Amino acid sequence: SADPEVAPVIDHGYLSDAEQRDLEVLVDGVEIARAVMGSAEPDRAPVAEIAPGPDVRARAAIADWVRRHVGIYYHPGCSCRMGSSTDPEAVVDVAGRVHGVRDLYVCDASIFPALMRANTNLPTAMLAEHLAESIGAG
């Protein structure tokens, strides 16, 4: 919507692959996790499986469970990516300065050029620590 008061609609496209490769990978993950946990010595085994549960064994049943329970570990980032002024996708430079806008800085996970495969909390804190002095002196 062009109306700034209307909340955006965000569709992450979970499980929307026509060939269902995304679903197959998640089912594989459940099976691999079970194999790893099942390989532990009985006296060192962790607690019993909680979900999808020991009675859910067939791949189709696991897939059904995944469809109903797939969720998000949402770490937004990279929407104001860092890069040179010649990069058409870059919004800020290496000091967090917004290209073409004087005295405007961005210092959060949105400036990461690529989303990492980890929690973004610590890298964002490190980024803030790194840029704080230069932003303050700006």
Side-chain angles (χ1 to χ4, degrees):
S1 171
D3 182 349
E5 300 297 320
V6 174
V9 175
I10 300 172
D11 179 4
H12 295 283
Y14 294 134
L15 306 177
S16 62
D17 177 28
E19 288 87 36
Q20 295 191 328
R21 286 177 288 208
D22 49 1
L23 179 61
E24 290 300 315
V25 167
L26 293 171
V27 172
D28 289 347
V30 171
E31 291 178 338
I32 290 168
R34 284 177 165 169
V36 168
M37 298 311 288
S39 68
E41 295 178 28
D43 61 328
R44 303 181 89 199
V47 297
E49 179 180 327
I50 296 170
D55 296 334
V56 179
R57 286 285 174 215
R59 281 188 70 84
I62 296 169
D64 182 55
W65 180 85
V66 167
R67 278 188 206 92
R68 288 183 285 115
H69 294 91
V70 70
I72 185 169
Y73 186 61
Y74 188 55
H75 287 281
C78 311
S79 59
C80 273
R81 70 182 272 165
M82 181 189 317
S84 73
S85 60
T86 59
D87 178 350
E89 294 185 7
V91 176
V92 301
D93 66 13
V94 297
R97 293 181 294 249
V98 175
H99 294 302
V101 182
R102 188 168 181 258
D103 295 328
L104 180 60
Y105 295 80
V106 178
C107 183
D108 60 24
S110 67
I111 74 171
F112 295 139
L115 193 56
M116 60 211 67
R117 298 181 120 195
N119 188 299
T120 57
N121 185 34
L122 184 56
T124 303
M126 298 293 290
L127 174 72
E129 183 74 24
H130 179 73
L131 295 182
E133 191 173 324
S134 63
I135 290 173

Coordinates of all heavy atoms in Angstrom, one line a residue, residues 2 5 9 20 23 35 41 48-50 54-55 68 73 80 86 91 114 116 121-122 130-131 134:
A2 N 0.4 2.3 -0.6 CA 1.1 3.6 -0.6 C 0.9 4.3 0.7 O 1.5 5.3 1.0 CB 0.7 4.4 -1.8
E5 N 0.4 4.3 6.9 CA -0.2 3.8 8.1 C -0.6 2.3 8.0 O -1.0 1.7 9.0 CB -1.4 4.6 8.4 CG -1.1 6.1 8.6 CD -0.2 6.3 9.9 OE1 -0.4 5.6 10.9 OE2 0.7 7.1 9.8
V9 N 2.6 -6.3 4.2 CA 2.3 -7.8 4.1 C 3.6 -8.4 3.8 O 4.2 -8.1 2.8 CB 1.2 -8.1 3.0 CG1 1.1 -9.6 2.9 CG2 -0.1 -7.5 3.4
Q20 N 9.1 -28.9 -3.8 CA 9.1 -29.2 -2.4 C 10.5 -29.6 -1.9 O 10.6 -30.3 -0.9 CB 8.1 -30.3 -2.1 CG 6.7 -29.9 -2.3 CD 5.7 -30.8 -1.8 OE1 5.9 -32.1 -1.7 NE2 4.6 -30.3 -1.3
L23 N 10.9 -28.5 1.7 CA 10.2 -29.4 2.7 C 11.1 -30.7 2.8 O 11.3 -31.1 4.0 CB 8.8 -29.7 2.2 CG 8.0 -30.7 3.0 CD1 7.8 -30.2 4.4 CD2 6.7 -31.1 2.4
A35 N 19.0 -39.4 14.0 CA 20.1 -40.4 13.9 C 21.2 -40.0 14.8 O 21.8 -40.8 15.5 CB 20.6 -40.4 12.4
E41 N 25.3 -43.1 23.5 CA 25.3 -44.2 24.4 C 24.1 -44.1 25.3 O 23.8 -43.0 25.8 CB 26.6 -44.3 25.2 CG 27.8 -44.6 24.3 CD 29.0 -44.6 25.1 OE1 29.0 -45.0 26.3 OE2 30.1 -44.3 24.5
A48 N 14.1 -37.7 26.2 CA 13.3 -38.3 25.1 C 12.9 -37.2 24.1 O 12.7 -36.0 24.5 CB 12.1 -39.0 25.6
E49 N 12.7 -37.6 22.8 CA 12.2 -36.6 21.8 C 10.8 -36.1 22.2 O 9.9 -36.8 22.5 CB 12.1 -37.4 20.5 CG 11.6 -36.5 19.3 CD 11.6 -37.3 18.0 OE1 12.4 -38.2 17.8 OE2 10.7 -36.9 17.2
I50 N 10.7 -34.8 22.0 CA 9.5 -34.1 22.3 C 8.7 -33.9 21.1 O 7.5 -34.2 21.0 CB 9.7 -32.8 23.0 CG1 10.4 -33.0 24.4 CG2 8.5 -32.0 23.2 CD1 11.0 -31.8 25.0
P54 N 8.1 -39.6 19.0 CA 8.6 -40.9 18.6 C 7.6 -41.7 17.7 O 8.0 -42.6 17.0 CB 8.9 -41.6 19.9 CG 8.2 -40.9 20.9 CD 8.0 -39.5 20.5
D55 N 6.3 -41.3 17.8 CA 5.3 -42.0 17.0 C 5.3 -41.5 15.5 O 4.6 -42.1 14.7 CB 4.0 -41.9 17.6 CG 3.9 -42.6 19.0 OD1 4.7 -43.5 19.2 OD2 3.1 -42.2 19.8
R68 N 2.9 -28.0 9.5 CA 2.1 -27.3 10.6 C 3.0 -26.5 11.6 O 2.4 -25.7 12.2 CB 1.3 -28.4 11.3 CG 0.2 -29.0 10.5 CD -0.7 -30.0 11.2 NE 0.0 -31.3 11.3 CZ 0.5 -31.8 12.5 NH1 0.2 -31.2 13.6 NH2 1.1 -33.0 12.5
Y73 N 13.0 -18.0 12.7 CA 14.1 -17.5 13.6 C 14.5 -16.2 13.0 O 15.6 -16.2 12.4 CB 15.2 -18.6 13.8 CG 16.2 -18.2 14.8 CD1 15.9 -18.1 16.2 CD2 17.5 -18.1 14.5 CE1 16.8 -17.8 17.1 CE2 18.5 -17.8 15.4 CZ 18.1 -17.7 16.7 OH 19.1 -17.4 17.7
C80 N 19.7 -2.2 4.3 CA 20.4 -0.9 4.0 C 21.9 -1.2 3.8 O 22.8 -0.7 4.5 CB 20.3 0.1 5.2 SG 18.9 1.1 5.2
T86 N 29.5 3.3 -5.6 CA 29.3 2.8 -7.0 C 28.5 1.5 -7.0 O 28.1 1.1 -8.1 CB 30.7 2.6 -7.7 OG1 31.4 1.6 -6.9 CG2 31.5 3.8 -7.8
V91 N 23.5 1.2 0.4 CA 22.9 2.4 1.0 C 23.8 3.2 1.8 O 23.7 4.5 1.8 CB 21.6 2.0 1.8 CG1 21.0 3.2 2.5 CG2 20.6 1.2 0.9
A114 N 25.5 -9.0 3.8 CA 25.0 -10.3 3.6 C 24.6 -10.9 5.0 O 25.2 -10.6 6.0 CB 26.0 -11.3 3.0
M116 N 24.2 -13.2 7.9 CA 25.0 -14.3 8.4 C 24.2 -15.5 8.9 O 23.0 -15.3 9.2 CB 25.9 -13.8 9.6 CG 25.1 -13.3 10.7 SD 25.9 -12.0 11.6 CE 26.0 -10.7 10.5
N121 N 22.8 -10.5 17.1 CA 23.0 -9.7 18.3 C 24.4 -9.2 18.5 O 24.7 -8.0 18.6 CB 22.4 -10.3 19.5 CG 22.4 -9.4 20.7 OD1 22.2 -8.2 20.6 ND2 22.7 -10.0 21.9
L122 N 25.3 -10.2 18.6 CA 26.7 -9.9 18.9 C 27.4 -9.1 17.7 O 28.0 -8.1 18.0 CB 27.5 -11.1 19.3 CG 29.0 -10.8 19.7 CD1 29.1 -9.9 20.8 CD2 29.7 -12.1 20.0
H130 N 32.2 -0.4 17.0 CA 33.2 0.0 16.0 C 32.8 1.4 15.4 O 33.7 2.2 15.1 CB 33.3 -1.0 14.8 CG 34.2 -0.7 13.7 ND1 35.6 -0.7 13.9 CD2 34.0 -0.3 12.5 CE1 36.1 -0.4 12.7 NE2 35.2 -0.1 11.9
L131 N 31.6 1.6 15.1 CA 31.2 2.9 14.4 C 30.8 4.0 15.4 O 30.7 5.2 14.9 CB 29.9 2.6 13.5 CG 30.2 1.7 12.3 CD1 28.9 1.6 11.5 CD2 31.3 2.2 11.5
S134 N 33.2 7.2 15.3 CA 33.2 8.0 14.1 C 31.9 8.6 13.9 O 31.8 9.8 13.3 CB 33.6 7.1 12.9 OG 32.6 6.1 12.7

